Amino acid sequence: MADEESAQARGEGPSEQGPSHPHEQMEAPLAEFRMEMRDRLPGGRAVIGVEQEGEFVWLASRQHVTEQARDEFVDQLQRIVNEGWWVQNWPGRS
């Protein structure tokens, strides 16, 4: 797949509104993800989530996802991570 653009995002702790989930009080990021724009995805898909040990990558098709939509998607995922609603539990993760 050609022409990669990465938008990196990592959880950074509690939200301004105070804890809304027990995991939110932890200091380390609860989940790590990034998003890459691709020219095309298999089967004409708009977005594919790919999980690997220690990382979750969202692949998004430029045919279906605008830069603004990508930015909004990353913002929402970041909020979910910061509030503790998405936690990754891979072996060796502290």
Side-chain angles (χ1 to χ4, degrees):
M1 292 185 205
D3 197 17
E4 294 183 10
E5 238 177 62
S6 294
Q8 301 240 353
R10 294 190 182 354
E12 296 176 356
S15 70
E16 302 261 330
Q17 299 175 354
S20 59
H21 190 276
H23 294 291
E24 189 176 349
Q25 296 175 9
M26 299 172 74
E27 291 183 22
L30 302 172
E32 295 185 9
F33 69 92
R34 62 189 167 91
M35 189 164 197
E36 295 180 0
M37 298 296 288
R38 301 291 177 96
D39 290 333
R40 290 182 169 69
L41 293 176
R45 292 180 175 92
V47 178
I48 298 174
V50 180
E51 183 175 12
Q52 299 175 27
E53 183 90 12
E55 177 179 50
F56 198 95
V57 180
W58 291 97
L59 304 176
S61 168
R62 284 188 182 89
Q63 292 178 311
H64 302 289
V65 179
T66 66
E67 294 295 318
Q68 179 180 350
R70 187 232 16 224
D71 292 344
E72 291 176 12
F73 187 77
V74 169
D75 287 345
Q76 290 301 313
L77 285 173
Q78 188 64 60
R79 183 183 61 79
I80 290 167
V81 168
N82 286 347
E83 292 180 6
W85 295 105
W86 180 11
V87 178
Q88 296 167 337
N89 294 310
W90 291 304
R93 179 149 166 74
S94 51

